[in-house]
Amino acid sequence: GLGGIGSAGVYQTNTAAGWTNVSDERYKKALEPIENALDKIKDCRGMTGLYKTDPDDRDRRSFLIAQDWLENDLGPVLPECVDQNTTDDEGAEKLGMQYDATIPLLVECIKELRTQNLALTERIAILEGE
């Protein structure tokens, strides 16, 4: 077994006040890199607003929109972070999101931007004759 690591992929250390995600590569399988991260995230909206049940004078919250993370015109975005198996009190579909599950895509976006920036910086230096 994984020695105290639950099926949800979390555990608590002896001194922990919260849960820790299992991140050790040795405990993972079927790994695939997230590719074309910037294309995937292009339509994902960061928004502020209120829940419909919030009073109008409540402080605004920040949100991601679950539907944006399912797919865009180029294909799947990161459906793994969207919970599609929940319903509201009337039985209508209600999408949920694990915000922390978006972090791997965001990391890959930053890496793609870094690669682009390095290439552009090198090109500018060449064009300016440095």
Side-chain angles (χ1 to χ4, degrees), residues 21-63:
N21 289 327
V22 178
S23 230
D24 191 320
E25 185 175 24
R26 296 171 294 182
Y27 288 90
K28 298 175 181 171
K29 64 181 180 179
L31 296 173
E32 295 178 14
I34 296 173
E35 297 178 340
N36 303 312
L38 292 174
D39 288 336
K40 289 181 182 299
I41 203 169
K42 71 182 183 72
D43 296 325
C44 293
R45 297 170 286 167
M47 309 289 284
T48 63
L50 302 171
Y51 287 109
K52 290 182 177 182
T53 55
D54 286 336
D56 292 343
D57 61 349
R58 186 205 187 282
D59 290 343
R60 296 175 71 81
R61 307 168 189 261
S62 59
F63 295 113

Side-chain angles (χ1 to χ4, degrees), residues 40-41 43-45 65-85 93-97 102 105:
K40 289 181 182 299
I41 203 169
D43 296 325
C44 293
R45 297 170 286 167
I65 307 300
Q67 288 85 344
D68 297 347
W69 294 80
L70 293 173
E71 64 180 294
N72 64 26
D73 61 327
L74 301 175
V77 176
L78 194 67
E80 296 87 346
C81 72
V82 179
D83 180 4
Q84 301 179 63
N85 299 314
E93 177 187 47
K94 175 179 67 177
L95 299 179
M97 256 190 96
T102 67
L105 177 59

Side-chain angles (χ1 to χ4, degrees), residues 6 13 20 25 42 45 68 76 86 89 95-96 116 121:
T13 61
T20 299
E25 185 175 24
K42 71 182 183 72
R45 297 170 286 167
D68 297 347
T86 57
D89 293 338
L95 299 179
Q116 290 177 4
T121 301

Side-chain angles (χ1 to χ4, degrees), residues 5 8-12 18-24 28 100-101 103:
I5 298 172
V10 296
Y11 62 95
Q12 286 189 312
W19 291 98
T20 299
N21 289 327
V22 178
S23 230
D24 191 320
K28 298 175 181 171
D100 61 341
I103 295 171

